[in-house]
Amino acid sequence: DGGITQSPKYLFRKEGQNVTLSCEQNLNHDAMYWYRQDPGQGLRLIYYSQIVNDFQKGDIAEGYSVSREKKESFPLTVTSAQKNPTAFYLCASSIAPFSGTNTGELFFGEGSRLTVL
Amino acid sequence: GESVGLHLPTLSVQEGDNSIINCAYSNSASDYFIWYKQESGKGPQFIIDIRSNMDKRQGQRVTVLLNKTVKHLSLQIAATQPGDSAVYFCAGPLTGGGNKLTFGTGTQLKVEL
């Protein structure tokens, strides 16, 4: 089945460690996104990529890094510079920017919950 | 700044009743809006979308209404079921942001048996 796969589902990290969250999609989508969700809050955009080898910062990029070497993959690294990394991380993808034939629907993975001990 | 998804935090309804979840936005230039449903511990799922040139769109048991005059949209769920319990978000594009969607805090829908 086509979809977005995030791993791991749960991750624990000690302070000062970098961790990388995996996101893979087999939907042949050009664009991919990382959002962060805190309890009782909406989704905030960390980074997004509209094409391979290119990505842009979202609203809360500080302390995070990404790469987009392959169309299918968009890993997110949470670095030690991120002051409050405990959160639920969501990866998403979309076909293309909004056009007359499609809206900007995002397809989400099941999320990765990161806890810093 | 721009905002989409100013929700009431919770809504409780009786099973079988209709639910109405409201959302306000600030950017009058938004081309479309999308409603998502998020169950506990899972990623959001697409429910329905509406383009800015429409006032109403219907899906299976759901209807979205868009009032551009007051910058308000609503999601109506008919005959609410226990499986509808979730957090509902409306989302819309940022100006010049392509597919960059902005989300609000969402409304927690609780279905009482």
Side-chain angles (χ1 to χ4, degrees), chain A residues 33 35 37 42 48 90 94 96-100 102-106 108-110, chain B residues 31-32 34 36 38 41-44 46 49 51 89 98-101 103-105:
Chain A
Y33 312 78
Y35 284 87
Q37 186 175 31
Y48 66 103
L90 287 159
S94 65
F98 171 69
S99 70
N102 69 282
T103 60
E105 178 186 353
L106 298 183
F108 284 89
E110 290 292 278
Chain B
D31 296 315
Y32 62 90
I34 303 176
Y36 283 92
Q38 185 179 26
K42 296 187 177 181
F46 172 89
D49 58 24
R51 297 176 187 272
F89 296 95
N99 272 24
K100 286 173 57 181
L101 292 180
F103 291 77
T105 55

PDB file of all heavy atoms in Angstrom, chain A residues 33 35 37 42 48 90 94 96-100 102-106 108-110, chain B residues 31-32 34 36 38 41-44 46 49 51 89 98-101 103-105:
ATOM      1  N   TYR A  33       7.299  17.393   4.229  1.00  0.00           N
ATOM      2  CA  TYR A  33       7.235  18.376   5.316  1.00  0.00           C
ATOM      3  C   TYR A  33       7.481  17.694   6.655  1.00  0.00           C
ATOM      4  O   TYR A  33       7.153  16.527   6.834  1.00  0.00           O
ATOM      5  CB  TYR A  33       5.837  19.027   5.369  1.00  0.00           C
ATOM      6  CG  TYR A  33       5.310  19.509   4.051  1.00  0.00           C
ATOM      7  CD1 TYR A  33       4.778  18.620   3.123  1.00  0.00           C
ATOM      8  CD2 TYR A  33       5.342  20.855   3.717  1.00  0.00           C
ATOM      9  CE1 TYR A  33       4.292  19.058   1.894  1.00  0.00           C
ATOM     10  CE2 TYR A  33       4.851  21.307   2.497  1.00  0.00           C
ATOM     11  CZ  TYR A  33       4.336  20.396   1.600  1.00  0.00           C
ATOM     12  OH  TYR A  33       3.864  20.840   0.395  1.00  0.00           O
ATOM     13  N   TYR A  35       6.413  18.532  10.678  1.00  0.00           N
ATOM     14  CA  TYR A  35       5.690  19.347  11.631  1.00  0.00           C
ATOM     15  C   TYR A  35       5.984  18.845  13.045  1.00  0.00           C
ATOM     16  O   TYR A  35       6.242  17.659  13.264  1.00  0.00           O
ATOM     17  CB  TYR A  35       4.176  19.263  11.396  1.00  0.00           C
ATOM     18  CG  TYR A  35       3.659  20.050  10.224  1.00  0.00           C
ATOM     19  CD1 TYR A  35       3.641  19.497   8.944  1.00  0.00           C
ATOM     20  CD2 TYR A  35       3.184  21.350  10.384  1.00  0.00           C
ATOM     21  CE1 TYR A  35       3.156  20.223   7.856  1.00  0.00           C
ATOM     22  CE2 TYR A  35       2.692  22.075   9.309  1.00  0.00           C
ATOM     23  CZ  TYR A  35       2.687  21.501   8.054  1.00  0.00           C
ATOM     24  OH  TYR A  35       2.202  22.233   6.989  1.00  0.00           O
ATOM     25  N   GLN A  37       4.226  18.802  16.945  1.00  0.00           N
ATOM     26  CA  GLN A  37       2.972  19.001  17.662  1.00  0.00           C
ATOM     27  C   GLN A  37       3.224  18.813  19.147  1.00  0.00           C
ATOM     28  O   GLN A  37       3.744  17.798  19.592  1.00  0.00           O
ATOM     29  CB  GLN A  37       1.907  18.010  17.182  1.00  0.00           C
ATOM     30  CG  GLN A  37       0.541  18.266  17.781  1.00  0.00           C
ATOM     31  CD  GLN A  37      -0.527  17.356  17.198  1.00  0.00           C
ATOM     32  OE1 GLN A  37      -0.256  16.224  16.818  1.00  0.00           O
ATOM     33  NE2 GLN A  37      -1.753  17.853  17.115  1.00  0.00           N
ATOM     34  N   GLY A  42      -1.670  22.955  17.976  1.00  0.00           N
ATOM     35  CA  GLY A  42      -1.711  22.604  16.570  1.00  0.00           C
ATOM     36  C   GLY A  42      -0.344  22.186  16.060  1.00  0.00           C
ATOM     37  O   GLY A  42       0.593  21.962  16.825  1.00  0.00           O
ATOM     38  N   TYR A  48      10.470  22.134   5.173  1.00  0.00           N
ATOM     39  CA  TYR A  48       9.773  21.526   4.066  1.00  0.00           C
ATOM     40  C   TYR A  48      10.684  21.497   2.847  1.00  0.00           C
ATOM     41  O   TYR A  48      11.624  22.284   2.733  1.00  0.00           O
ATOM     42  CB  TYR A  48       8.451  22.234   3.753  1.00  0.00           C
ATOM     43  CG  TYR A  48       8.580  23.650   3.251  1.00  0.00           C
ATOM     44  CD1 TYR A  48       8.422  23.960   1.908  1.00  0.00           C
ATOM     45  CD2 TYR A  48       8.820  24.703   4.139  1.00  0.00           C
ATOM     46  CE1 TYR A  48       8.517  25.264   1.450  1.00  0.00           C
ATOM     47  CE2 TYR A  48       8.921  26.003   3.685  1.00  0.00           C
ATOM     48  CZ  TYR A  48       8.770  26.281   2.346  1.00  0.00           C
ATOM     49  OH  TYR A  48       8.873  27.584   1.900  1.00  0.00           O
ATOM     50  N   LEU A  90       5.557  14.930  13.135  1.00  0.00           N
ATOM     51  CA  LEU A  90       4.771  14.416  12.019  1.00  0.00           C
ATOM     52  C   LEU A  90       5.417  14.771  10.695  1.00  0.00           C
ATOM     53  O   LEU A  90       5.778  15.922  10.453  1.00  0.00           O
ATOM     54  CB  LEU A  90       3.360  15.002  12.060  1.00  0.00           C
ATOM     55  CG  LEU A  90       2.463  14.448  13.165  1.00  0.00           C
ATOM     56  CD1 LEU A  90       1.322  15.414  13.450  1.00  0.00           C
ATOM     57  CD2 LEU A  90       1.911  13.092  12.767  1.00  0.00           C
ATOM     58  N   SER A  94       3.051  15.882  -0.185  1.00  0.00           N
ATOM     59  CA  SER A  94       1.986  16.317  -1.069  1.00  0.00           C
ATOM     60  C   SER A  94       2.442  16.191  -2.505  1.00  0.00           C
ATOM     61  O   SER A  94       3.636  16.169  -2.799  1.00  0.00           O
ATOM     62  CB  SER A  94       1.550  17.747  -0.759  1.00  0.00           C
ATOM     63  OG  SER A  94       2.597  18.653  -1.033  1.00  0.00           O
ATOM     64  N   ALA A  96       2.013  18.269  -5.223  1.00  0.00           N
ATOM     65  CA  ALA A  96       2.612  19.436  -5.856  1.00  0.00           C
ATOM     66  C   ALA A  96       1.988  20.661  -5.223  1.00  0.00           C
ATOM     67  O   ALA A  96       0.990  20.554  -4.518  1.00  0.00           O
ATOM     68  CB  ALA A  96       2.350  19.425  -7.360  1.00  0.00           C
ATOM     69  N   PRO A  97       2.513  21.816  -5.460  1.00  0.00           N
ATOM     70  CA  PRO A  97       1.838  23.007  -4.967  1.00  0.00           C
ATOM     71  C   PRO A  97       0.415  23.119  -5.503  1.00  0.00           C
ATOM     72  O   PRO A  97       0.091  22.548  -6.539  1.00  0.00           O
ATOM     73  CB  PRO A  97       2.713  24.154  -5.492  1.00  0.00           C
ATOM     74  CG  PRO A  97       4.052  23.536  -5.660  1.00  0.00           C
ATOM     75  CD  PRO A  97       3.792  22.127  -6.070  1.00  0.00           C
ATOM     76  N   PHE A  98      -0.422  23.818  -4.798  1.00  0.00           N
ATOM     77  CA  PHE A  98      -1.816  23.989  -5.172  1.00  0.00           C
ATOM     78  C   PHE A  98      -1.935  24.462  -6.625  1.00  0.00           C
ATOM     79  O   PHE A  98      -1.213  25.336  -7.071  1.00  0.00           O
ATOM     80  CB  PHE A  98      -2.465  25.010  -4.253  1.00  0.00           C
ATOM     81  CG  PHE A  98      -3.838  25.419  -4.669  1.00  0.00           C
ATOM     82  CD1 PHE A  98      -4.889  24.538  -4.593  1.00  0.00           C
ATOM     83  CD2 PHE A  98      -4.074  26.689  -5.160  1.00  0.00           C
ATOM     84  CE1 PHE A  98      -6.170  24.923  -4.970  1.00  0.00           C
ATOM     85  CE2 PHE A  98      -5.340  27.086  -5.538  1.00  0.00           C
ATOM     86  CZ  PHE A  98      -6.384  26.198  -5.440  1.00  0.00           C
ATOM     87  N   SER A  99      -2.835  23.835  -7.335  1.00  0.00           N
ATOM     88  CA  SER A  99      -3.088  24.242  -8.711  1.00  0.00           C
ATOM     89  C   SER A  99      -4.580  24.151  -8.944  1.00  0.00           C
ATOM     90  O   SER A  99      -5.357  23.895  -8.027  1.00  0.00           O
ATOM     91  CB  SER A  99      -2.337  23.331  -9.682  1.00  0.00           C
ATOM     92  OG  SER A  99      -2.928  22.047  -9.678  1.00  0.00           O
ATOM     93  N   GLY A 100      -4.986  24.338 -10.162  1.00  0.00           N
ATOM     94  CA  GLY A 100      -6.411  24.275 -10.441  1.00  0.00           C
ATOM     95  C   GLY A 100      -6.994  22.896 -10.318  1.00  0.00           C
ATOM     96  O   GLY A 100      -8.215  22.740 -10.235  1.00  0.00           O
ATOM     97  N   ASN A 102      -5.792  20.413  -8.041  1.00  0.00           N
ATOM     98  CA  ASN A 102      -5.653  19.762  -6.740  1.00  0.00           C
ATOM     99  C   ASN A 102      -5.500  20.820  -5.671  1.00  0.00           C
ATOM    100  O   ASN A 102      -4.998  21.901  -5.922  1.00  0.00           O
ATOM    101  CB  ASN A 102      -4.447  18.818  -6.720  1.00  0.00           C
ATOM    102  CG  ASN A 102      -3.124  19.558  -6.773  1.00  0.00           C
ATOM    103  OD1 ASN A 102      -2.701  20.006  -7.815  1.00  0.00           O
ATOM    104  ND2 ASN A 102      -2.495  19.735  -5.630  1.00  0.00           N
ATOM    105  N   THR A 103      -5.989  20.503  -4.506  1.00  0.00           N
ATOM    106  CA  THR A 103      -5.735  21.381  -3.371  1.00  0.00           C
ATOM    107  C   THR A 103      -4.450  20.926  -2.703  1.00  0.00           C
ATOM    108  O   THR A 103      -3.833  19.966  -3.115  1.00  0.00           O
ATOM    109  CB  THR A 103      -6.887  21.318  -2.352  1.00  0.00           C
ATOM    110  OG1 THR A 103      -7.007  19.984  -1.895  1.00  0.00           O
ATOM    111  CG2 THR A 103      -8.181  21.772  -2.983  1.00  0.00           C
ATOM    112  N   GLY A 104      -4.076  21.632  -1.679  1.00  0.00           N
ATOM    113  CA  GLY A 104      -2.797  21.340  -1.061  1.00  0.00           C
ATOM    114  C   GLY A 104      -2.840  20.247  -0.032  1.00  0.00           C
ATOM    115  O   GLY A 104      -2.194  20.346   1.000  1.00  0.00           O
ATOM    116  N   GLU A 105      -3.583  19.180  -0.335  1.00  0.00           N
ATOM    117  CA  GLU A 105      -3.755  18.139   0.666  1.00  0.00           C
ATOM    118  C   GLU A 105      -2.427  17.535   1.068  1.00  0.00           C
ATOM    119  O   GLU A 105      -1.609  17.143   0.219  1.00  0.00           O
ATOM    120  CB  GLU A 105      -4.666  17.033   0.123  1.00  0.00           C
ATOM    121  CG  GLU A 105      -4.856  15.884   1.101  1.00  0.00           C
ATOM    122  CD  GLU A 105      -5.637  14.744   0.503  1.00  0.00           C
ATOM    123  OE1 GLU A 105      -6.140  14.893  -0.628  1.00  0.00           O
ATOM    124  OE2 GLU A 105      -5.730  13.692   1.156  1.00  0.00           O
ATOM    125  N   LEU A 106      -2.191  17.451   2.349  1.00  0.00           N
ATOM    126  CA  LEU A 106      -1.023  16.783   2.899  1.00  0.00           C
ATOM    127  C   LEU A 106      -1.419  15.393   3.370  1.00  0.00           C
ATOM    128  O   LEU A 106      -2.470  15.202   3.967  1.00  0.00           O
ATOM    129  CB  LEU A 106      -0.464  17.562   4.088  1.00  0.00           C
ATOM    130  CG  LEU A 106       0.036  18.983   3.846  1.00  0.00           C
ATOM    131  CD1 LEU A 106       0.607  19.557   5.130  1.00  0.00           C
ATOM    132  CD2 LEU A 106       1.055  19.020   2.728  1.00  0.00           C
ATOM    133  N   PHE A 108      -0.219  12.501   5.862  1.00  0.00           N
ATOM    134  CA  PHE A 108       0.621  12.413   7.040  1.00  0.00           C
ATOM    135  C   PHE A 108       1.010  10.982   7.374  1.00  0.00           C
ATOM    136  O   PHE A 108       0.266  10.034   7.101  1.00  0.00           O
ATOM    137  CB  PHE A 108      -0.110  12.999   8.255  1.00  0.00           C
ATOM    138  CG  PHE A 108      -0.163  14.498   8.270  1.00  0.00           C
ATOM    139  CD1 PHE A 108      -1.203  15.173   7.663  1.00  0.00           C
ATOM    140  CD2 PHE A 108       0.834  15.222   8.907  1.00  0.00           C
ATOM    141  CE1 PHE A 108      -1.255  16.560   7.679  1.00  0.00           C
ATOM    142  CE2 PHE A 108       0.791  16.611   8.922  1.00  0.00           C
ATOM    143  CZ  PHE A 108      -0.244  17.284   8.308  1.00  0.00           C
ATOM    144  N   GLY A 109       2.190  10.848   8.001  1.00  0.00           N
ATOM    145  CA  GLY A 109       2.571   9.583   8.602  1.00  0.00           C
ATOM    146  C   GLY A 109       1.933   9.453   9.967  1.00  0.00           C
ATOM    147  O   GLY A 109       1.155  10.310  10.400  1.00  0.00           O
ATOM    148  N   GLU A 110       2.266   8.374  10.665  1.00  0.00           N
ATOM    149  CA  GLU A 110       1.666   8.096  11.965  1.00  0.00           C
ATOM    150  C   GLU A 110       2.376   8.804  13.117  1.00  0.00           C
ATOM    151  O   GLU A 110       1.925   8.737  14.249  1.00  0.00           O
ATOM    152  CB  GLU A 110       1.639   6.593  12.220  1.00  0.00           C
ATOM    153  CG  GLU A 110       0.654   5.857  11.326  1.00  0.00           C
ATOM    154  CD  GLU A 110      -0.786   6.210  11.659  1.00  0.00           C
ATOM    155  OE1 GLU A 110      -1.342   5.643  12.605  1.00  0.00           O
ATOM    156  OE2 GLU A 110      -1.369   7.082  10.959  1.00  0.00           O
TER     157      GLU A 110
ATOM    158  N   ASP B  31      -6.653  30.337  -0.866  1.00  0.00           N
ATOM    159  CA  ASP B  31      -7.315  29.720  -2.010  1.00  0.00           C
ATOM    160  C   ASP B  31      -8.191  28.530  -1.637  1.00  0.00           C
ATOM    161  O   ASP B  31      -9.103  28.166  -2.383  1.00  0.00           O
ATOM    162  CB  ASP B  31      -6.277  29.231  -3.013  1.00  0.00           C
ATOM    163  CG  ASP B  31      -5.472  30.380  -3.616  1.00  0.00           C
ATOM    164  OD1 ASP B  31      -6.099  31.388  -3.995  1.00  0.00           O
ATOM    165  OD2 ASP B  31      -4.243  30.250  -3.699  1.00  0.00           O
ATOM    166  N   TYR B  32      -7.881  27.928  -0.519  1.00  0.00           N
ATOM    167  CA  TYR B  32      -8.610  26.715  -0.136  1.00  0.00           C
ATOM    168  C   TYR B  32      -8.412  26.478   1.350  1.00  0.00           C
ATOM    169  O   TYR B  32      -7.512  27.058   1.974  1.00  0.00           O
ATOM    170  CB  TYR B  32      -8.118  25.505  -0.939  1.00  0.00           C
ATOM    171  CG  TYR B  32      -6.657  25.174  -0.721  1.00  0.00           C
ATOM    172  CD1 TYR B  32      -6.265  24.291   0.278  1.00  0.00           C
ATOM    173  CD2 TYR B  32      -5.669  25.769  -1.504  1.00  0.00           C
ATOM    174  CE1 TYR B  32      -4.927  24.011   0.493  1.00  0.00           C
ATOM    175  CE2 TYR B  32      -4.332  25.499  -1.286  1.00  0.00           C
ATOM    176  CZ  TYR B  32      -3.967  24.609  -0.293  1.00  0.00           C
ATOM    177  OH  TYR B  32      -2.648  24.334  -0.077  1.00  0.00           O
ATOM    178  N   ILE B  34      -8.710  23.068   4.284  1.00  0.00           N
ATOM    179  CA  ILE B  34      -8.803  21.614   4.448  1.00  0.00           C
ATOM    180  C   ILE B  34      -9.155  21.302   5.892  1.00  0.00           C
ATOM    181  O   ILE B  34      -8.635  21.939   6.810  1.00  0.00           O
ATOM    182  CB  ILE B  34      -7.469  20.919   4.085  1.00  0.00           C
ATOM    183  CG1 ILE B  34      -7.040  21.275   2.651  1.00  0.00           C
ATOM    184  CG2 ILE B  34      -7.597  19.409   4.230  1.00  0.00           C
ATOM    185  CD1 ILE B  34      -5.679  20.703   2.269  1.00  0.00           C
ATOM    186  N   TYR B  36      -8.947  18.351   8.749  1.00  0.00           N
ATOM    187  CA  TYR B  36      -8.275  17.111   9.110  1.00  0.00           C
ATOM    188  C   TYR B  36      -8.857  16.570  10.414  1.00  0.00           C
ATOM    189  O   TYR B  36      -9.277  17.332  11.288  1.00  0.00           O
ATOM    190  CB  TYR B  36      -6.774  17.337   9.310  1.00  0.00           C
ATOM    191  CG  TYR B  36      -5.977  17.476   8.045  1.00  0.00           C
ATOM    192  CD1 TYR B  36      -5.746  18.729   7.477  1.00  0.00           C
ATOM    193  CD2 TYR B  36      -5.442  16.363   7.417  1.00  0.00           C
ATOM    194  CE1 TYR B  36      -5.002  18.862   6.316  1.00  0.00           C
ATOM    195  CE2 TYR B  36      -4.695  16.484   6.254  1.00  0.00           C
ATOM    196  CZ  TYR B  36      -4.481  17.730   5.717  1.00  0.00           C
ATOM    197  OH  TYR B  36      -3.752  17.849   4.559  1.00  0.00           O
ATOM    198  N   GLN B  38      -7.709  14.054  13.614  1.00  0.00           N
ATOM    199  CA  GLN B  38      -6.564  13.393  14.229  1.00  0.00           C
ATOM    200  C   GLN B  38      -7.018  12.597  15.441  1.00  0.00           C
ATOM    201  O   GLN B  38      -7.468  13.184  16.442  1.00  0.00           O
ATOM    202  CB  GLN B  38      -5.486  14.402  14.633  1.00  0.00           C
ATOM    203  CG  GLN B  38      -4.227  13.743  15.160  1.00  0.00           C
ATOM    204  CD  GLN B  38      -3.135  14.729  15.539  1.00  0.00           C
ATOM    205  OE1 GLN B  38      -3.418  15.878  15.865  1.00  0.00           O
ATOM    206  NE2 GLN B  38      -1.883  14.289  15.494  1.00  0.00           N
ATOM    207  N   GLY B  41      -2.731   9.866  19.225  1.00  0.00           N
ATOM    208  CA  GLY B  41      -1.496   9.156  18.926  1.00  0.00           C
ATOM    209  C   GLY B  41      -1.252   8.862  17.462  1.00  0.00           C
ATOM    210  O   GLY B  41      -0.321   8.133  17.126  1.00  0.00           O
ATOM    211  N   LYS B  42      -2.074   9.441  16.590  1.00  0.00           N
ATOM    212  CA  LYS B  42      -1.931   9.176  15.148  1.00  0.00           C
ATOM    213  C   LYS B  42      -1.728  10.467  14.379  1.00  0.00           C
ATOM    214  O   LYS B  42      -1.870  11.554  14.907  1.00  0.00           O
ATOM    215  CB  LYS B  42      -3.165   8.447  14.631  1.00  0.00           C
ATOM    216  CG  LYS B  42      -3.375   7.066  15.229  1.00  0.00           C
ATOM    217  CD  LYS B  42      -4.519   6.356  14.545  1.00  0.00           C
ATOM    218  CE  LYS B  42      -4.677   4.936  15.089  1.00  0.00           C
ATOM    219  NZ  LYS B  42      -5.789   4.215  14.405  1.00  0.00           N
ATOM    220  N   GLY B  43      -1.385  10.316  13.112  1.00  0.00           N
ATOM    221  CA  GLY B  43      -1.256  11.476  12.257  1.00  0.00           C
ATOM    222  C   GLY B  43      -2.615  11.949  11.769  1.00  0.00           C
ATOM    223  O   GLY B  43      -3.575  11.195  11.734  1.00  0.00           O
ATOM    224  N   PRO B  44      -2.720  13.216  11.395  1.00  0.00           N
ATOM    225  CA  PRO B  44      -3.985  13.739  10.880  1.00  0.00           C
ATOM    226  C   PRO B  44      -4.392  13.061   9.574  1.00  0.00           C
ATOM    227  O   PRO B  44      -3.542  12.696   8.758  1.00  0.00           O
ATOM    228  CB  PRO B  44      -3.665  15.221  10.640  1.00  0.00           C
ATOM    229  CG  PRO B  44      -2.483  15.520  11.502  1.00  0.00           C
ATOM    230  CD  PRO B  44      -1.695  14.262  11.525  1.00  0.00           C
ATOM    231  N   PHE B  46      -7.018  13.432   6.188  1.00  0.00           N
ATOM    232  CA  PHE B  46      -7.836  14.329   5.380  1.00  0.00           C
ATOM    233  C   PHE B  46      -9.313  13.954   5.491  1.00  0.00           C
ATOM    234  O   PHE B  46      -9.673  12.782   5.422  1.00  0.00           O
ATOM    235  CB  PHE B  46      -7.378  14.224   3.928  1.00  0.00           C
ATOM    236  CG  PHE B  46      -8.231  14.951   2.933  1.00  0.00           C
ATOM    237  CD1 PHE B  46      -7.974  16.270   2.625  1.00  0.00           C
ATOM    238  CD2 PHE B  46      -9.286  14.318   2.296  1.00  0.00           C
ATOM    239  CE1 PHE B  46      -8.738  16.942   1.695  1.00  0.00           C
ATOM    240  CE2 PHE B  46     -10.063  14.977   1.372  1.00  0.00           C
ATOM    241  CZ  PHE B  46      -9.781  16.295   1.062  1.00  0.00           C
ATOM    242  N   ASP B  49     -12.049  19.086   1.693  1.00  0.00           N
ATOM    243  CA  ASP B  49     -11.485  20.407   1.416  1.00  0.00           C
ATOM    244  C   ASP B  49     -12.525  21.268   0.717  1.00  0.00           C
ATOM    245  O   ASP B  49     -13.561  20.787   0.269  1.00  0.00           O
ATOM    246  CB  ASP B  49     -10.206  20.296   0.584  1.00  0.00           C
ATOM    247  CG  ASP B  49     -10.413  19.581  -0.751  1.00  0.00           C
ATOM    248  OD1 ASP B  49     -11.547  19.553  -1.269  1.00  0.00           O
ATOM    249  OD2 ASP B  49      -9.423  19.038  -1.274  1.00  0.00           O
ATOM    250  N   ARG B  51     -12.589  24.929  -1.858  1.00  0.00           N
ATOM    251  CA  ARG B  51     -11.886  26.027  -2.515  1.00  0.00           C
ATOM    252  C   ARG B  51     -12.578  27.342  -2.178  1.00  0.00           C
ATOM    253  O   ARG B  51     -13.764  27.366  -1.851  1.00  0.00           O
ATOM    254  CB  ARG B  51     -11.869  25.804  -4.027  1.00  0.00           C
ATOM    255  CG  ARG B  51     -11.117  24.555  -4.427  1.00  0.00           C
ATOM    256  CD  ARG B  51     -11.205  24.300  -5.925  1.00  0.00           C
ATOM    257  NE  ARG B  51     -10.626  23.006  -6.261  1.00  0.00           N
ATOM    258  CZ  ARG B  51      -9.346  22.824  -6.538  1.00  0.00           C
ATOM    259  NH1 ARG B  51      -8.516  23.854  -6.518  1.00  0.00           N
ATOM    260  NH2 ARG B  51      -8.890  21.620  -6.833  1.00  0.00           N
ATOM    261  N   PHE B  89      -8.946  19.725  12.903  1.00  0.00           N
ATOM    262  CA  PHE B  89      -8.222  20.946  12.545  1.00  0.00           C
ATOM    263  C   PHE B  89      -8.731  21.470  11.213  1.00  0.00           C
ATOM    264  O   PHE B  89      -8.962  20.699  10.288  1.00  0.00           O
ATOM    265  CB  PHE B  89      -6.730  20.655  12.345  1.00  0.00           C
ATOM    266  CG  PHE B  89      -6.006  20.178  13.560  1.00  0.00           C
ATOM    267  CD1 PHE B  89      -5.834  18.827  13.782  1.00  0.00           C
ATOM    268  CD2 PHE B  89      -5.456  21.073  14.460  1.00  0.00           C
ATOM    269  CE1 PHE B  89      -5.139  18.368  14.889  1.00  0.00           C
ATOM    270  CE2 PHE B  89      -4.764  20.630  15.564  1.00  0.00           C
ATOM    271  CZ  PHE B  89      -4.604  19.278  15.785  1.00  0.00           C
ATOM    272  N   GLY B  98       2.750  28.099  -1.339  1.00  0.00           N
ATOM    273  CA  GLY B  98       2.566  26.835  -2.026  1.00  0.00           C
ATOM    274  C   GLY B  98       1.731  25.897  -1.204  1.00  0.00           C
ATOM    275  O   GLY B  98       0.602  26.191  -0.868  1.00  0.00           O
ATOM    276  N   ASN B  99       2.279  24.752  -0.865  1.00  0.00           N
ATOM    277  CA  ASN B  99       1.540  23.804  -0.055  1.00  0.00           C
ATOM    278  C   ASN B  99       1.813  23.951   1.430  1.00  0.00           C
ATOM    279  O   ASN B  99       1.455  23.088   2.200  1.00  0.00           O
ATOM    280  CB  ASN B  99       1.888  22.373  -0.478  1.00  0.00           C
ATOM    281  CG  ASN B  99       0.994  21.914  -1.596  1.00  0.00           C
ATOM    282  OD1 ASN B  99       0.459  22.725  -2.329  1.00  0.00           O
ATOM    283  ND2 ASN B  99       0.824  20.629  -1.740  1.00  0.00           N
ATOM    284  N   LYS B 100       2.455  25.001   1.858  1.00  0.00           N
ATOM    285  CA  LYS B 100       2.670  25.206   3.269  1.00  0.00           C
ATOM    286  C   LYS B 100       1.334  25.513   3.917  1.00  0.00           C
ATOM    287  O   LYS B 100       0.717  26.535   3.650  1.00  0.00           O
ATOM    288  CB  LYS B 100       3.633  26.369   3.506  1.00  0.00           C
ATOM    289  CG  LYS B 100       5.081  26.059   3.205  1.00  0.00           C
ATOM    290  CD  LYS B 100       5.935  27.311   3.308  1.00  0.00           C
ATOM    291  CE  LYS B 100       5.828  27.975   4.664  1.00  0.00           C
ATOM    292  NZ  LYS B 100       6.661  29.199   4.726  1.00  0.00           N
ATOM    293  N   LEU B 101       0.902  24.596   4.759  1.00  0.00           N
ATOM    294  CA  LEU B 101      -0.364  24.777   5.446  1.00  0.00           C
ATOM    295  C   LEU B 101      -0.121  25.278   6.856  1.00  0.00           C
ATOM    296  O   LEU B 101       0.839  24.875   7.511  1.00  0.00           O
ATOM    297  CB  LEU B 101      -1.132  23.463   5.511  1.00  0.00           C
ATOM    298  CG  LEU B 101      -1.679  22.889   4.211  1.00  0.00           C
ATOM    299  CD1 LEU B 101      -2.417  21.591   4.486  1.00  0.00           C
ATOM    300  CD2 LEU B 101      -2.603  23.883   3.521  1.00  0.00           C
ATOM    301  N   PHE B 103      -1.899  25.433  10.606  1.00  0.00           N
ATOM    302  CA  PHE B 103      -2.915  24.745  11.383  1.00  0.00           C
ATOM    303  C   PHE B 103      -3.185  25.518  12.660  1.00  0.00           C
ATOM    304  O   PHE B 103      -2.297  26.155  13.218  1.00  0.00           O
ATOM    305  CB  PHE B 103      -2.433  23.349  11.785  1.00  0.00           C
ATOM    306  CG  PHE B 103      -2.296  22.383  10.651  1.00  0.00           C
ATOM    307  CD1 PHE B 103      -1.214  22.442   9.785  1.00  0.00           C
ATOM    308  CD2 PHE B 103      -3.238  21.386  10.455  1.00  0.00           C
ATOM    309  CE1 PHE B 103      -1.070  21.545   8.742  1.00  0.00           C
ATOM    310  CE2 PHE B 103      -3.098  20.475   9.424  1.00  0.00           C
ATOM    311  CZ  PHE B 103      -2.015  20.556   8.568  1.00  0.00           C
ATOM    312  N   GLY B 104      -4.398  25.389  13.148  1.00  0.00           N
ATOM    313  CA  GLY B 104      -4.719  25.955  14.447  1.00  0.00           C
ATOM    314  C   GLY B 104      -4.571  24.909  15.529  1.00  0.00           C
ATOM    315  O   GLY B 104      -4.023  23.835  15.316  1.00  0.00           O
ATOM    316  N   THR B 105      -5.122  25.212  16.682  1.00  0.00           N
ATOM    317  CA  THR B 105      -4.987  24.308  17.824  1.00  0.00           C
ATOM    318  C   THR B 105      -5.983  23.159  17.783  1.00  0.00           C
ATOM    319  O   THR B 105      -5.829  22.194  18.507  1.00  0.00           O
ATOM    320  CB  THR B 105      -5.174  25.080  19.130  1.00  0.00           C
ATOM    321  OG1 THR B 105      -6.430  25.760  19.089  1.00  0.00           O
ATOM    322  CG2 THR B 105      -4.062  26.107  19.316  1.00  0.00           C
TER     323      THR B 105
END
